[in-house]
Amino acid sequence: MLGNLRGALSQFEWTVLWSPYYALILVGLYILYAVVTEKLRRPDEPETTLGQKFSMLAALIVFYIGFGSPLDLLAHITFSAHMLQMVFVYMVAPPLLLIAIPEWLYKRLFDTPYLGRILRFFIKPLIALVVFNALFTFYHMPFIFDYVLTNYTVHRLFHGTLIFLSMTMWYPIIAPVNEADSLSDLKKMVYIVANGVLLTPACAFMIFSQSFQYQAYQDPATFAKVLAYCMPNNDLSGLNLERLLGTTDDLLEDQRFGGVLMKLGQELVYGLFFGLTFFTWVRRSKSTAVDEGMSFTPKAD
């Protein structure tokens, strides 16, 4: 399999594999972030911390891995690479991006007419939970998936919408403006578990299907149309499409592996935040007990 991948990627120029234009866009976004958080901040508002700056940098690097590295090209060639891409751009990058945004900027956004109302609606825990997981599952229904991948504009709109919804899904867990807007620690843990449960049907469909479901990776005409979107001017000349289409030895096993990658990646990230939330809950419970005069130290006889 690795030999097949190396052979497939060797057909492409480095600008197709590493997308310098996308890298420049991300550099521009980081500069914009630095300018906004520095120039728009009022004197009474806290400065952006080093941790927040690092989190923004990490988020943009993860987005580049997902959309600017060879992984993006591979995601158009093999289904498992597509699912790994989903882990990076919807499970890893959004929480990093949310952590990077200072509290005062959230408040400005929420106070903006119309935009603030839209944001407050979509970050409601039940709305955020259901809408993201429903659209993600809908996206990976075979006939929808093939349609989206073969229509460039729809494909970009879908990705943009899912990124926005993934951020609204993560918001109740890690980025409250203040305690009044936050779920309690116990509710956060339930919310995280619910996210894992709601994404399970899509992963189970991929893992337990008895046949390969996606034409974009097995039909030559559909495959060529999808791959053309990765090439300058949609030019496929010089590529051995038959060799690229045969990159995956067993399509069904690749589909199942993709479902496993998505489920494991999701569980690892959710498990990390579940653990952090659990220990925060324990620490707060102990602190509250101490404030109320309780002790966790056994008394000597």
Side-chain angles (χ1 to χ4, degrees):
M1 180 65 178
L2 290 178
N4 291 346
L5 291 177
R6 283 194 294 268
L9 294 179
S10 66
Q11 300 187 50
F12 299 93
E13 297 181 0
W14 75 270
T15 53
V16 176
L17 293 172
W18 292 101
S19 188
Y21 306 108
Y22 187 64
L24 288 175
I25 290 173
L26 295 181
V27 170
L29 287 175
Y30 191 83
I31 294 172
L32 178 63
Y33 166 79
V35 170
V36 167
T37 54
E38 180 62 30
K39 298 300 183 181
L40 295 186
R41 182 181 63 85
R42 292 192 291 263
D44 60 324
E45 294 171 332
E47 295 183 4
T48 306
T49 66
L50 182 62
Q52 287 174 316
K53 294 175 182 177
F54 178 79
S55 187
M56 172 58 77
L57 180 61
L60 295 180
I61 290 173
V62 174
F63 274 126
Y64 181 72
I65 292 172
F67 290 132
S69 76
L71 179 60
D72 184 51
L73 182 61
L74 283 173
H76 292 77
I77 299 174
T78 70
F79 183 78
S80 58
H82 163 79
M83 296 311 296
L84 181 60
Q85 181 188 48
M86 299 295 96
V87 173
F88 280 115
V89 299
Y90 300 136
M91 297 296 152
V92 180
L96 290 171
L97 190 58
L98 289 170
I99 291 170
I101 300 173
E103 183 177 321
W104 60 264
L105 186 52
Y106 280 118
K107 291 179 178 179
R108 301 270 189 94
L109 291 172
F110 291 146
D111 290 339
T112 303
Y114 303 113
L115 175 61
R117 186 177 300 175
I118 293 172
L119 293 176
R120 288 186 182 279
F121 173 78
F122 279 103
I123 64 171
K124 291 179 179 178
L126 185 59
I127 299 295
L129 179 73
V130 172
V131 174
F132 169 74
N133 287 288
L135 187 61
F136 185 89
T137 301
F138 180 72
Y139 173 37
H140 287 93
M141 295 174 65
F143 67 98
I144 298 296
F145 184 85
D146 290 328
Y147 175 78
V148 170
L149 252 64
T150 53
N151 291 271
Y152 182 83
T153 301
V154 176
H155 189 200
R156 289 293 180 254
L157 286 173
F158 242 85
H159 271 306
T161 302
L162 278 169
I163 288 172
F164 168 75
L165 292 176
S166 67
M167 292 178 66
T168 63
M169 180 271 290
W170 277 104
Y171 182 89
I173 301 172
I174 63 172
V177 169
N178 54 53
E179 290 299 321
D181 294 329
S182 174
L183 293 173
S184 68
D185 293 325
L186 284 174
K187 288 181 179 179
K188 284 182 182 180
M189 288 187 279
V190 172
Y191 180 87
I192 292 170
V193 171
N195 266 292
V197 170
L198 287 179
L199 205 58
T200 297
C203 297
F205 169 76
M206 300 167 197
I207 296 169
F208 296 110
S209 290
Q210 298 303 306
S211 61
F212 188 75
Q213 299 292 318
Y214 303 100
Q215 291 298 312
Y217 297 100
Q218 65 179 344
D219 176 65
T222 308
F223 179 80
K225 186 174 182 179
V226 171
L227 193 60
Y229 293 137
C230 302
M231 304 298 295
N233 302 315
N234 295 341
D235 183 12
L236 294 176
S237 60
L239 295 180
N240 185 338
L241 292 178
E242 183 177 351
R243 182 180 182 183
L244 291 171
L245 189 59
T247 299
T248 302
D249 297 321
D250 188 324
L251 289 173
L252 180 56
E253 287 304 308
D254 187 63
Q255 174 184 290
R256 290 171 173 170
F257 183 51
V260 170
L261 277 177
M262 185 66 207
K263 191 59 183 172
L264 285 179
Q266 173 210 38
E267 295 299 333
L268 284 172
V269 178
Y270 285 167
L272 172 63
F273 281 93
F274 185 93
L276 292 173
T277 305
F278 175 78
F279 287 115
T280 299
W281 171 65
V282 171
R283 187 172 60 252
R284 286 180 177 173
S285 297
K286 288 184 177 180
S287 177
T288 301
V290 170
D291 290 342
E292 293 176 354
M294 298 173 63
S295 174
F296 287 87
T297 304
K299 294 182 180 181
D301 292 335

